[in-house]
Amino acid sequence: MIKLGKLTLNGTPRIAVGFNDRVPPQAILDVKDFGLDVVELRIDQYSSFEVSHVLNEVKKFKNFPSIATIRSEKEGGDWNLSESKRLDLFKAVIPHVDAVDIELSSASILKQVIKEAHAKKKLVVVSYHNFDSTPNFKTLNQIVYKAKALKADIVKIATMTLSRKDIQTLAQVTLVNSEKNLVTIAMGAEGAISRIFFPALGSLMTYAYLGKPMAPGQFDYKTTSDFLRMVY
């Protein structure tokens, strides 16, 4: 059992929705009424990276379990500045969120972000994104092992699926590592159904959107919520 803020991630499917800094105040009130589980703060998509601006936006979601992400450009994000600046921004944000998400590939700052988050008693999601393909089971299993060896609290794997075999590979990874606090996502139209059934295999969360998708194959929040209520 693991907790994100006060929210227990215990097998009940949780829905996370990503937000940038262009969210109307009414939308924040709406998602609160919807009972949204988790907000993903996509800081890499903010219009300004000034600390005061970022913290002001982050604090708008203080009543939600939150994961802050400053996604690197090489893994599908918008951050293309220096890693030292990204590290400084992570350090500024960590006290104000429940978790941070950083890529396994961010080798130059990864250990420092993990250390800083754990010092503040925050969770760390170590993530891997592949927008081209789904590696084989052995490769993905090694990614889980490496992330856990670095003391990741949650390991997130999101890959592009082009066939049924790709979905089966991700399903196998999810089943084998279901006790290791895993989030798995099959991106693309072929893998869209994974966002509903992977939680049954042990994936802690699924991701949806309000307004505009942030990854290929996402369903909108209402559709995702309706599916999960019906299935679970």
Side-chain angles (χ1 to χ4, degrees):
M1 183 182 295
I2 189 169
K3 298 189 77 171
L4 179 67
K6 295 180 179 179
L7 181 70
T8 300
L9 305 176
N10 62 351
T12 301
R14 303 296 187 180
I15 304 174
V17 170
F19 294 91
N20 55 34
D21 63 345
R22 296 175 291 282
V23 182
Q26 184 59 46
I28 299 175
L29 294 175
D30 289 344
V31 294
K32 187 175 182 181
D33 290 340
F34 291 160
L36 177 63
D37 296 313
V38 180
V39 298
E40 182 189 44
L41 303 170
R42 286 297 303 268
I43 295 171
D44 57 292
Q45 296 184 356
Y46 282 13
S47 57
S48 169
F49 300 132
E50 289 294 328
V51 172
S52 58
H53 173 78
V54 170
L55 293 185
N56 184 56
E57 292 299 316
V58 168
K59 289 173 183 176
K60 291 179 180 179
F61 294 91
K62 65 182 180 180
N63 294 321
F64 295 90
S66 57
I67 303 172
T69 303
I70 312 174
R71 180 74 66 235
S72 69
E73 194 173 44
K74 62 185 176 183
E75 291 209 19
D78 289 347
W79 182 268
N80 57 9
L81 302 179
S82 72
E83 289 294 78
S84 62
K85 288 184 178 179
R86 189 158 70 122
L87 177 60
D88 288 342
L89 199 50
F90 266 122
K91 288 181 176 179
V93 167
I94 283 170
H96 305 282
V97 296
D98 297 307
V100 290
D101 177 334
I102 182 167
E103 309 84 11
L104 183 63
S105 62
S106 298
S108 65
I109 65 170
L110 177 59
K111 289 182 179 179
Q112 292 164 283
V113 170
I114 293 172
K115 182 179 179 180
E116 187 75 18
H118 285 167
K120 297 289 192 298
K121 301 188 185 305
K122 310 294 183 174
L123 296 183
V124 179
V125 180
V126 175
S127 57
Y128 168 82
H129 305 83
N130 188 325
F131 288 85
D132 297 318
S133 62
T134 296
N136 61 35
F137 172 80
K138 182 178 178 181
T139 299
L140 293 178
N141 217 40
Q142 287 174 339
I143 288 169
V144 176
Y145 176 82
K146 289 176 183 177
K148 295 303 290 186
L150 289 163
K151 299 184 179 179
D153 299 294
I154 296 171
V155 183
K156 176 187 172 189
I157 293 177
T159 67
M160 183 62 69
T161 49
L162 305 174
S163 67
R164 182 174 296 180
K165 182 179 178 182
D166 289 339
I167 298 173
Q168 291 170 341
T169 297
L170 278 171
Q172 184 182 9
V173 171
T174 308
L175 282 168
V176 168
N177 296 286
S178 61
E179 301 301 316
K180 296 178 181 175
N181 298 325
L182 202 66
V183 173
T184 47
I185 299 166
M187 294 189 291
E190 186 76 30
I193 191 62
S194 73
R195 297 175 182 275
I196 305 302
F197 85 81
F198 274 10
L201 306 181
S203 183
L204 295 179
M205 288 186 291
T206 190
Y207 285 71
Y209 72 89
L210 285 172
K212 181 181 178 182
M214 289 195 173
Q218 278 187 345
F219 295 121
D220 65 85
Y221 175 79
K222 186 179 185 306
T223 298
T224 304
S225 180
D226 288 347
F227 268 131
L228 291 180
R229 284 198 186 101
M230 179 172 61
V231 174
Y232 297 97

